[in-house]
Amino acid sequence: MDISPREPDCAETQNSSRTTRRVGEAAAAFCLVSDMATQRFVADYLASAFVCGRWECDDLVDRGADALGRRWRWLRPLAQRALHTLGHDRRPSRFQVLRFLRQDEGLRRACHKHDVRVGGLQRKPPEMAPTAGHPVNWDVPPLVTVGELADWLDLKLTELDWFADRRGLERKVPRGPLRHYRYYWLSKRIGGSARLIESPKQRLKAIQRCILHEILDRIPPHEAAHGFCRGRSIRSFVAPHAGQSIVLRADLRDFFPCIPRRRVAGVFRTAGYPEEVSQCLAALGTNEVPDDVWRSFPQYGNVADRWRHQRLYGQPHLPQGTATSPAIANLCSYRLDCRLAGLARSFRGRYTRYADDLLFSGGRVLARSIGKFHRVVYAIAMDEGFEINPRKTRIMRQGVRQCAAGLTVNRHPNIPRDEFDRLKAILYNCARRGPGNENHARLPEFRLHLDGHVSFVESVNPARGQKLRSLFERIQWPAT
């Protein structure tokens, strides 16, 4: 019997090499999956550590070393890459940091090469950390935990969770006392569309007013913002554009509801609040509209408006009708104001904003490039998460009446001539024949109505307002 070793044939050799290759590929795939799983765990702990303090390289390294239990050499390059990718001048959210860490190739190689272990919770507590480059003297109350926020608002933790509604229960509960908002549809004067007013109930309204007065009012908006700002008005809004060769007026579509909750949370992170507190404060000022509200969408709203509104209002958004929404909208528009003001300066022009109304003006340089200029305005607004309404865009040269916010600015801020003459005629007829014959709209408070109009003219043009005031004082009002 021949018991000498048999030479393997070619087929067996190929099968053996193929099996070896498959085993190697499976082992490599297992190592890759293992590395990815380790990276996900490490990224989760590092993300929680990175967002609970100052967004600076040394602080990120210290908190990362505290979370991992060791100061690894690759932590500083990782922190530098995070600052370069996510930006030095803003505090990113935990989601943004976690997404970066899970995709970072350097962290994956470090987890594969070293035995990186994660500990329990971080030993360092969260702290107030304003964004680098922003002033630290805004004097906002220091609240570093959700428990401190609840105590500051004089609420229990369960009550704070109920009013913040971070789980979106407002959208699911039926109409009744469990909802935090009341909803009203109003028609817009232009375009035949509809506007949804979300009015908070008493307790939530009191919470929002506390946040407004103690936090939001202490954070200054951009100098170009004139709406909802103390000491500013529509007169200060249009005054810089008086006597200019050309005026461009634009309008932001759906200004309030197009601001999502994550953007509102960014405002509070910029003020220095940790991630959890920022998310809770943002939830107290935003809302999700219930589905049954859309079934009562008014008939004058078209299909396109219905689809757009349902998309905007169906997500956590900034509601129109709360005390905090105007101030939050101004702060969320800070980058938009910075970029548009810089664009106007590059064309030797001027820029101001009153809520959703944008106003630009300038001389010959702007007039020659007005087509290119307003296209760049559209692009900047879209890049910042807003949308310009083209139907409300107006380019007004000196030969026409340059009007913005109900005032003319051809020479100086003034009331339009036809409106002044109409009000003057009403006051004259009231003084001559009595106010009863002039109240054609049957207003219950006709005297207060006229007094408000006269006061408005006085605030814009004191000389003209004084003439109307003298006519108003000559009216003989019936005794009540």
Side-chain angles (χ1 to χ4, degrees):
M1 180 181 293
D2 185 8
I3 59 173
S4 60
R6 182 176 59 88
E7 293 292 335
D9 57 10
C10 182
E12 290 179 349
T13 303
Q14 291 178 354
N15 291 336
S16 176
S17 62
R18 189 179 298 114
T19 303
T20 304
R21 186 169 62 251
R22 288 176 178 176
V23 170
E25 292 175 352
F30 176 78
C31 293
L32 179 60
V33 172
S34 178
D35 292 344
M36 291 176 60
T38 304
Q39 182 181 4
R40 291 175 70 90
F41 284 119
V42 174
D44 188 69
Y45 274 82
L46 285 178
S48 299
F50 282 177
V51 299
C52 71
R54 293 184 178 274
W55 187 246
E56 298 176 0
C57 186
D58 292 338
D59 294 308
L60 292 179
V61 174
D62 292 340
R63 292 197 299 275
D66 186 71
L68 300 180
R70 178 176 174 180
R71 186 178 292 270
W72 295 96
R73 294 180 61 182
W74 47 264
L75 271 176
R76 183 168 295 276
L78 176 65
Q80 293 172 348
R81 291 194 301 272
L83 290 170
H84 176 74
T85 304
L86 301 176
H88 294 75
D89 58 343
R90 60 170 65 183
R91 285 189 62 189
S93 65
R94 185 184 182 279
F95 173 77
Q96 293 172 321
V97 177
L98 182 61
R99 182 174 57 184
F100 162 77
L101 293 175
R102 287 182 175 179
Q103 297 174 355
D104 185 69
E105 185 64 22
L107 179 60
R108 190 193 68 80
R109 290 197 301 267
C111 293
H112 174 71
K113 184 177 180 181
H114 305 285
D115 184 18
V116 182
R117 299 180 182 274
V118 294
L121 299 176
Q122 303 99 19
R123 291 189 293 271
K124 291 184 178 179
E127 59 181 3
M128 293 289 292
T131 302
H134 291 270
V136 296
N137 57 349
W138 284 346
D139 195 27
V140 295
L143 307 169
V144 296
T145 64
V146 177
E148 292 183 7
L149 175 61
D151 294 338
W152 182 69
L153 293 172
D154 196 18
L155 297 173
K156 299 178 182 178
L157 279 175
T158 54
E159 292 178 325
L160 179 61
D161 181 67
W162 168 247
F163 285 112
D165 191 23
R166 298 176 63 178
R167 293 176 293 175
L169 298 179
E170 175 79 10
R171 189 173 183 178
K172 303 174 183 178
V173 298
R175 185 179 305 177
L178 294 180
R179 288 186 178 176
H180 298 310
Y181 289 84
R182 297 183 178 91
Y183 302 93
Y184 309 94
W185 286 104
L186 297 178
S187 61
K188 294 183 179 179
R189 292 184 301 172
I190 300 176
S193 182
R195 176 185 288 113
L196 180 63
I197 303 299
E198 303 165 66
S199 177
K201 296 182 180 179
Q202 286 301 118
R203 290 201 65 188
L204 181 58
K205 183 184 295 185
I207 294 172
Q208 292 173 345
R209 288 189 182 277
C210 181
I211 296 174
L212 171 66
H213 298 316
E214 299 298 329
I215 297 179
L216 297 174
D217 283 348
R218 302 183 183 186
I219 306 177
H222 194 274
E223 59 182 7
H226 291 260
F228 321 113
C229 298
R230 186 172 300 174
R232 304 178 190 179
S233 61
I234 60 171
R235 193 181 193 284
S236 65
F237 165 61
V238 302
H241 309 280
Q244 298 296 314
S245 298
I246 191 168
V247 175
L248 170 64
R249 188 184 71 209
D251 179 84
L252 298 176
R253 176 180 291 174
D254 295 322
F255 181 52
F256 287 101
C258 74
I259 299 177
R261 179 177 294 175
R262 62 180 182 274
R263 194 164 188 169
V264 179
V267 171
F268 293 106
R269 285 198 305 271
T270 302
Y273 291 104
E275 177 74 15
E276 285 297 318
V277 178
S278 299
Q279 292 290 343
C280 195
L281 286 170
L284 288 170
T286 54
N287 181 43
E288 293 182 68
V289 176
D291 295 333
D292 64 274
V293 175
W294 304 113
R295 290 193 287 271
S296 62
F297 193 84
Q299 295 298 323
Y300 47 74
N302 54 48
V303 176
D305 286 332
R306 184 187 183 91
W307 178 85
R308 176 180 172 81
H309 286 158
Q310 190 165 3
R311 178 175 59 86
L312 290 176
Y313 290 103
Q315 64 178 354
H317 64 280
L318 195 64
Q320 184 170 357
T322 66
T324 54
S325 291
I328 292 176
N330 276 340
L331 298 176
C332 289
S333 306
Y334 191 88
R335 277 176 51 89
L336 174 70
D337 293 334
C338 289
R339 296 180 65 178
L340 292 181
L343 175 67
R345 284 194 299 269
S346 66
F347 284 83
R348 299 181 185 179
R350 302 174 181 180
Y351 161 73
T352 56
R353 179 180 60 82
Y354 192 95
D356 57 351
D357 291 330
L358 312 179
L359 200 58
F360 306 87
S361 67
R364 296 180 180 178
V365 176
L366 181 62
R368 287 197 300 265
S369 308
I370 191 63
K372 174 184 176 182
F373 180 83
H374 93 269
R375 287 194 296 270
V376 177
V377 170
Y378 275 49
I380 291 177
M382 184 175 297
D383 189 48
E384 291 298 324
F386 298 96
E387 182 181 350
I388 301 291
N389 189 348
R391 290 187 291 182
K392 294 185 178 181
T393 302
R394 297 290 183 272
I395 299 176
M396 300 167 285
R397 301 183 184 270
Q398 254 183 345
V400 301
R401 186 170 75 175
Q402 299 171 338
C403 187
L407 302 178
T408 58
V409 294
N410 291 77
R411 294 183 180 179
H412 55 83
N414 204 354
I415 302 294
R417 184 70 189 186
D418 53 349
E419 295 185 11
F420 174 79
D421 291 341
R422 186 182 305 111
L423 180 58
K424 181 180 178 182
I426 292 175
L427 293 173
Y428 178 80
N429 291 333
C430 288
R432 182 181 177 185
R433 298 180 298 194
N437 296 327
E438 296 300 318
N439 188 8
H440 302 295
R442 298 289 185 259
L443 298 175
E445 298 291 345
F446 188 54
R447 180 175 182 174
L448 296 178
H449 173 76
L450 292 180
D451 189 19
H453 278 276
V454 174
S455 299
F456 174 70
V457 177
E458 287 178 323
S459 66
V460 176
N461 191 327
R464 283 189 168 186
Q466 187 60 36
K467 296 178 181 178
L468 297 181
R469 178 62 65 184
S470 61
L471 285 174
F472 180 80
E473 292 176 350
R474 288 168 49 189
I475 300 176
Q476 299 294 326
W477 297 98
T480 57

